[in-house]
Amino acid sequence: MGFLSRFRRSAKTLDDIGSIASEEDLTIVPENVNEAYEVKTSPISEHEVESEWESTEMIDSIHLDRDKKSQKLMERKQQSQKITKKASIEKRRLKLVPRPSQGLSIDIDHLVDKKSRRKISATPTFAKLMSELEITLLEADMGHAAVDEVLTAMRARLIGAPLPKKGDLERIIDSALIGALDSLLRVSYWDFDQTVQSLMKDEIPIVIMLVGVNGTGKTTTAAKISHRLVQEGLSVVLAAADTFRAGAIDQLNDHAERIGARCIRSQRGGDSAAVARDAIDSAVAKGDDVVIIDTAGRMQNKTNLMQELKKVHRVASPHIVLFVGDALAGNDAVEQAKTFQSFLNFDGAVLSKLDTDARGGAALSIAHATNKPIVLAGVGQGYDDLIDFEPSNFLTQLLSDDMDPMSFTIVARDQNE
Ligand SMILES: Nc1nc2c(ncn2[C@@H]2O[C@H](COP(=O)(O)OP(=O)(O)OP(=O)(O)O)[C@@H](O)[C@H]2O)c(=O)[nH]1
Ligand SMILES: [Mg+2]
């Protein structure tokens, strides 16, 4: 994506290394310059949702034709002797399973001259470099708040660090930048598959609701997620709760037929909350594992439409709400995410269309702006084009045009470290 090239050219022109150094320690020195910048993690998200739709009906048997995979899964479920409950009877506590994942840990120890009495300092040249970075990140569609966070992290990491050997300054700046960007993406990070599996131990069906503005990729993502779960041996019901747009119901139904999922739908203009409820009802009756609710595209400023969406949410009481953001929408996607977050408190985001030439800033800002991570990414229009969003892979790709991969060290780091 190459968005850092200009900033890095500026960093390179700092051939007078002394222009960012001072012998005096003018500022707060980080205790350990090699310490990873602290991720602003929030506690594992938990929320309770009361359902207005209640029933005491229990399932007494699960008896559908199933393929081998789902048969195995059913046996496992029976073994664990979990009682299948009607999905909306109880208050639900969402348990998101954090993903211990590869992270970027930045080692700059070997780059600094520990014996040097001179330290990187907030000189005018350093300030100029930071302001260059600020402009670059803003131009890459990152939001102001996220950019501020990155700059603060960079300053904390760099100022007071012993001066590097000549030539290594650029690498230290790269390292600090990668560490800061990685921290942004890793906020409240959780694993989609493990979360579904973990929720299924307590009850089925698991209800997943997709929200987002028009055309971001909700229906395609609903199909991709269904495909993934069907491949894992789960039975999936798709709820065509977009009763608003002509063709939306057929679009989802076609996907369902191709994937091997069931689709519950109504006439166009029907009550979307009722469709969601019917889908859950049907899944409960037939012992299906997962219900995925596809909703109509909302303009975030249309209050009545948002209220309708809230009704679907209230009635369906989903275990997981995913916001689908279009990577191409840049900073708009961040604003949309913030608005949806204020209405529905979603649990994670899917960033669609990452296969396009999006500039990447939206990905960097959504997690920061909403305190919810990007968990999945759409990388094409095929059913298989859905990947777990892995921050270190994303950053490696984002920066690959700009940076020599050898200039920073990627090591496995547990999120909770
Ligand atoms: N290249 C690419 N295209 C995608 C991706 N995800 C979705 N699309 C395309 O984006 C367009 C819109 O996708 P939909 O799934 O219909 O979007 P939606 O959010 O359901 O749209 P509305 O129902 O109108 O709100 C379609 O042409 C999809 O094929 C992706 O990851 N990559
Ligand atoms: Mg749609």
Side-chain angles (χ1 to χ4, degrees):
M1 300 178 196
F3 76 92
L4 284 169
S5 308
R6 197 180 64 198
F7 164 69
R8 297 192 73 249
R9 273 200 302 278
S10 295
K12 258 189 204 150
T13 59
L14 289 177
D15 44 2
D16 173 13
I17 197 164
S19 67
I20 63 159
S22 126
E23 293 212 4
E24 298 267 314
D25 185 3
L26 301 173
T27 48
I28 304 159
V29 181
E31 279 177 15
N32 177 3
V33 292
N34 188 33
E35 211 164 61
Y37 169 64
E38 279 297 307
V39 184
K40 272 202 339 189
T41 47
S42 53
I44 287 179
S45 167
E46 288 190 357
H47 64 254
E48 295 180 10
V49 186
E50 284 266 17
S51 171
E52 66 177 16
W53 169 54
E54 297 203 336
S55 163
T56 52
E57 189 187 323
M58 302 286 286
I59 298 182
D60 52 10
S61 64
I62 298 172
H63 52 76
L64 284 179
D65 290 347
R66 289 168 180 269
D67 60 18
K68 276 187 189 164
K69 279 185 197 164
S70 46
Q71 187 64 38
K72 268 191 206 155
L73 203 91
M74 192 169 72
E75 283 163 14
R76 185 163 57 72
K77 274 184 229 155
Q78 284 166 347
Q79 266 174 9
S80 70
Q81 295 185 325
K82 295 285 175 196
I83 301 165
T84 304
K85 301 185 291 281
K86 185 149 188 172
S88 55
I89 293 172
E90 297 185 344
K91 285 181 184 177
R92 289 170 175 152
R93 296 187 69 80
L94 178 61
K95 292 180 205 140
L96 304 174
V97 181
R99 185 191 309 156
S101 77
Q102 285 216 325
L104 299 171
S105 176
I106 309 304
D107 175 11
I108 62 172
D109 253 7
H110 62 290
L111 299 175
V112 297
D113 179 0
K114 286 183 192 145
K115 288 190 195 124
S116 168
R117 288 191 58 239
R118 303 177 77 204
K119 296 186 187 307
I120 296 177
S121 180
T123 63
T125 308
F126 183 83
K128 197 169 158 232
L129 194 66
M130 288 300 106
S131 100
E132 179 92 42
L133 177 61
E134 182 177 13
I135 294 165
T136 303
L137 295 177
L138 288 172
E139 283 177 354
D141 281 341
M142 268 180 85
H144 282 277
V147 172
D148 282 349
E149 181 93 1
V150 168
L151 294 176
T152 305
M154 294 278 285
R155 290 192 189 101
R157 181 84 67 91
L158 290 171
I159 294 177
L163 200 65
K165 297 171 201 110
K166 192 167 190 273
D168 284 342
L169 181 61
E170 190 191 333
R171 293 167 71 188
I172 288 194
I173 292 172
D174 280 357
S175 297
L177 179 57
I178 291 165
L181 296 179
D182 182 60
S183 302
L184 277 186
L185 291 170
R186 211 162 281 281
V187 67
S188 310
Y189 202 43
W190 55 274
D191 183 275
F192 179 79
D193 288 320
Q194 283 191 37
T195 297
V196 170
Q197 291 296 338
S198 155
L199 287 165
M200 278 181 54
K201 285 182 191 150
D202 292 335
E203 66 175 339
I204 57 167
I206 301 309
V207 181
I208 302 170
M209 177 175 174
L210 300 179
V211 299
V213 307
N214 304 59
T216 54
K218 293 177 296 301
T219 305
T220 311
T221 303
K224 288 174 183 174
I225 292 176
S226 306
H227 175 67
R228 178 193 275 217
L229 296 175
V230 167
Q231 294 292 304
E232 287 167 12
L234 306 184
S235 54
V236 178
V237 177
L238 280 159
D242 178 359
T243 59
F244 185 69
R245 182 171 65 80
I249 297 169
D250 290 340
Q251 185 190 356
L252 193 71
N253 193 53
D254 289 349
H255 282 309
E257 276 175 11
R258 277 185 231 125
I259 291 161
R262 291 197 299 121
C263 181
I264 301 297
R265 54 202 163 125
S266 69
Q267 295 304 311
R268 188 176 168 220
D271 179 0
S272 44
V275 174
R277 187 190 59 198
D278 287 350
I280 296 169
D281 248 345
S282 170
V284 168
K286 298 197 172 181
D288 289 306
D289 300 306
V290 183
V291 174
I292 299 177
I293 304 172
D294 180 33
T295 61
R298 305 283 143 169
M299 293 315 293
Q300 67 269 31
N301 54 357
K302 292 273 165 49
T303 315
N304 53 341
L305 288 177
M306 286 301 250
Q307 290 303 342
E308 195 187 301
L309 202 58
K310 268 187 114 165
K311 186 178 165 198
V312 176
H313 185 268
R314 211 165 50 240
V315 167
S317 192
H319 295 78
I320 302 173
V321 180
L322 292 174
F323 167 79
V324 181
D326 179 339
L328 277 172
N331 208 31
D332 276 352
V334 182
E335 291 307 314
Q336 292 158 15
K338 275 159 65 180
T339 311
F340 274 84
Q341 178 66 354
S342 66
F343 265 87
L344 287 176
N345 191 23
F346 62 77
D347 304 297
V350 180
L351 196 61
S352 65
K353 310 184 193 180
L354 257 192
D355 52 309
T356 62
D357 58 354
R359 282 182 281 181
L364 295 167
S365 301
I366 284 178
H368 180 261
T370 63
N371 216 28
K372 295 294 155 74
I374 298 165
V375 286
L376 298 168
V379 292
Q381 303 192 37
Y383 293 133
D384 284 323
D385 295 328
L386 182 76
I387 57 169
D388 290 330
F389 183 83
E390 172 51 57
S392 42
N393 291 345
F394 173 75
L395 282 178
T396 307
Q397 272 180 23
L398 184 72
L399 304 174
S400 58
D401 293 348
D402 295 305
M403 294 185 179
D404 170 8
M406 300 309 288
S407 69
F408 53 88
T409 322
I410 301 178
V411 296
R413 189 187 75 195
D414 192 286
Q415 186 202 14
N416 299 318
E417 269 175 22

